[in-house]
């Protein structure tokens, strides 16, 4: 009773706000009507490799987008919660650069919804890593924030330091697909002390956004070389035109 009264008092003093625009909403961690309409949630038929939405209906067989057929992925399955653009882009940038850590919990719920088929067999959850110099500048890794929230929500083991960037790479923004793959090369690896935790395990890689898939490919390759049985990926948003 006291807890309910306290929560009611708090809600009166601090009413729930929209994650997108800050307007009043009916519940915490929600989006108002206009922001919801500007956020493209992915559902229906999707590419099994990256989660991008596809036209038509599934016939029960594996279906992949043109990108995944042109560039075979080292991971087995992939999903994305949102199409990168509109309000989704604003939320991602706010999480990445604006200290909006409050976005992580609802974002993890959106990711858990689309990633349900990938959560079988209790995969080890790990984020795409940042180089230490970039982490020092940003103060947190947005992919790690999402991975931790997703693992907590799904009751899965979370390993934040499973992967490491050996050296810093230049920004990939605006670079071609070929440049992205060339720049990443072998810059990501599994520290030797972490390899035993990977032996025979399924891994779920978590990132904030997928463009070409170069970063996720480097991470998946590193996990497989270190002994992982299978790698799957889930991202908050997928760029549909890399």
């Amino acid at each position: 009773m006291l807890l309910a009264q306290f929560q009611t008092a708090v809600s009166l003093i601090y009413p729930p706000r929209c994650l997108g625009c800050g307007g009043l909403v009916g519940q915490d961690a929600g989006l108002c009507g206009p922001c919801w309409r500007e956020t493209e949630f992915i559902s229906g038929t999707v590419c099994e490799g990256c989660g991008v939405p596809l036209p038509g209906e599934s016939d029960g067989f594996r279906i992949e987008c043109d990108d995944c057929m042109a560039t075979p992925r080292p991971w087995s399955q992939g999903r994305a919660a949102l199409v990168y653009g509109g309000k989704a882009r604003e939320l991602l940038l706010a999480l990445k650069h604006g200290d909006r850590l409050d976005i992580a919990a609802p974002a993890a719920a959106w990711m858990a919804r689309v990633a349900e088929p990938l959560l079988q067999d209790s995969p080890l959850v790990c984020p795409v890593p940042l180089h230490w110099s970039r982490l020092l500048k940003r103060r947190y890794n947005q992919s790690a924030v999402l991975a931790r929230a997703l693992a907590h929500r799904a009751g899965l083991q979370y390993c934040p330091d499973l992967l490491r960037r050996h050296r810093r790479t230049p920004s990939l923004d605006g670079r071609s697909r070929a440049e992205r793959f060339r720049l990443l090369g072998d810059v990501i690896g599994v520290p030797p002390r972490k390899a035993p935790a990977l032996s025979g395990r399924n891994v779920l890689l978590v990132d904030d956004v997928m463009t070409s898939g170069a970063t996720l490919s480097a991470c998946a390759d590193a996990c497989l070389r270190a002994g992982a049985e299978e790698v799957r990926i889930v991202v908050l948003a997928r760029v549909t035109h890399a």
Side-chain angles (χ1 to χ4, degrees), residues 8 18 23 35 51 64 86 90 93 100 124-125 148 154 163 184 190 202 211 220 232 237 240:
T8 300
C18 172
C35 286
E64 292 184 346
E90 292 181 22
L93 292 177
R100 287 289 309 279
L124 181 64
V125 179
R148 182 173 61 246
L163 294 165
L184 283 160
V190 176
N202 294 330
T211 304
R232 307 155 188 168
T240 55

Side-chain angles (χ1 to χ4, degrees), residues 17-20 27-32 35-36 38-43 79-83 85 87-92 95 100 102-117 119 146 149-150 153 206-208 234-237:
R17 298 282 179 175
C18 172
L19 290 170
Q27 60 182 1
D28 286 326
L31 293 170
C32 67
C35 286
W36 184 273
E38 292 178 30
T39 306
E40 188 175 351
F41 288 84
I42 294 176
S43 61
R79 294 292 186 275
L82 310 170
V83 170
K87 190 60 65 174
R89 179 178 181 274
E90 292 181 22
L91 291 171
L92 270 152
L95 172 64
R100 287 289 309 279
D102 58 303
I103 294 172
W110 302 336
M111 295 167 74
R113 175 184 61 84
V114 296
E116 185 177 356
L119 304 182
L146 289 170
L150 177 60
R153 182 178 186 86
V206 178
D207 205 359
D208 57 341
V234 60
V235 297
L236 178 55

Side-chain angles (χ1 to χ4, degrees), residues 9-134:
V10 169
S11 66
L12 290 173
I13 300 172
Y14 303 104
R17 298 282 179 175
C18 172
L19 290 170
C21 67
L24 294 175
V25 291
Q27 60 182 1
D28 286 326
L31 293 170
C32 67
C35 286
W36 184 273
R37 288 189 290 273
E38 292 178 30
T39 306
E40 188 175 351
F41 288 84
I42 294 176
S43 61
T45 304
V46 299
C47 170
E48 291 289 337
C50 69
V52 72
L54 295 174
E57 297 182 3
S58 174
D59 57 5
F61 293 93
R62 183 180 177 91
I63 183 171
E64 292 184 346
C65 66
D66 291 343
D67 281 351
C68 287
M69 288 191 289
T71 307
R73 312 297 188 182
W75 61 82
S76 61
Q77 299 179 78
R79 294 292 186 275
L82 310 170
V83 170
Y84 187 75
K87 190 60 65 174
R89 179 178 181 274
E90 292 181 22
L91 291 171
L92 270 152
L93 292 177
L95 172 64
K96 188 172 184 177
H97 299 297
D99 293 338
R100 287 289 309 279
L101 299 183
D102 58 303
I103 294 172
W110 302 336
M111 295 167 74
R113 175 184 61 84
V114 296
E116 185 177 356
L118 283 59
L119 304 182
Q120 308 301 318
D121 306 321
S122 300
L124 181 64
V125 179
C126 77
V128 168
L130 282 179
H131 188 262
W132 68 264
S133 60
R134 189 158 280 144

Side-chain angles (χ1 to χ4, degrees), residues 114-241:
V114 296
E116 185 177 356
L118 283 59
L119 304 182
Q120 308 301 318
D121 306 321
S122 300
L124 181 64
V125 179
C126 77
V128 168
L130 282 179
H131 188 262
W132 68 264
S133 60
R134 189 158 280 144
L135 181 60
L136 189 65
K137 182 178 180 180
R138 288 191 192 168
R139 294 176 290 111
Y140 63 90
N141 176 0
Q142 72 280 356
S143 298
V145 172
L146 289 170
R148 182 173 61 246
L150 177 60
H152 176 74
R153 182 178 186 86
L156 297 173
Q157 183 182 354
Y158 170 58
C159 189
D161 54 353
L162 183 68
L163 294 165
R164 179 185 298 163
R165 284 186 184 250
H166 303 306
R167 63 181 184 272
R168 182 170 179 171
T169 53
S171 173
L172 300 179
D173 292 344
R175 296 184 182 270
S176 69
R177 178 186 300 273
E179 286 179 309
R180 289 169 180 261
F181 278 88
R182 178 180 59 80
L183 285 169
L184 283 160
D186 59 352
V187 302
I188 297 174
V190 176
R193 63 185 177 83
K194 289 294 182 180
L198 267 178
S199 181
R201 290 291 303 273
N202 294 330
V203 176
L204 181 66
L205 289 173
V206 178
D207 205 359
D208 57 341
V209 60
M210 175 181 170
T211 304
S212 67
T215 303
L216 286 159
S217 290
C219 291
D221 282 335
C223 289
L224 292 170
R225 286 196 303 267
E229 177 72 20
E230 179 185 340
V231 178
R232 307 155 188 168
I233 65 114
V234 60
V235 297
L236 178 55
R238 174 72 163 98
V239 175
T240 55
H241 301 287

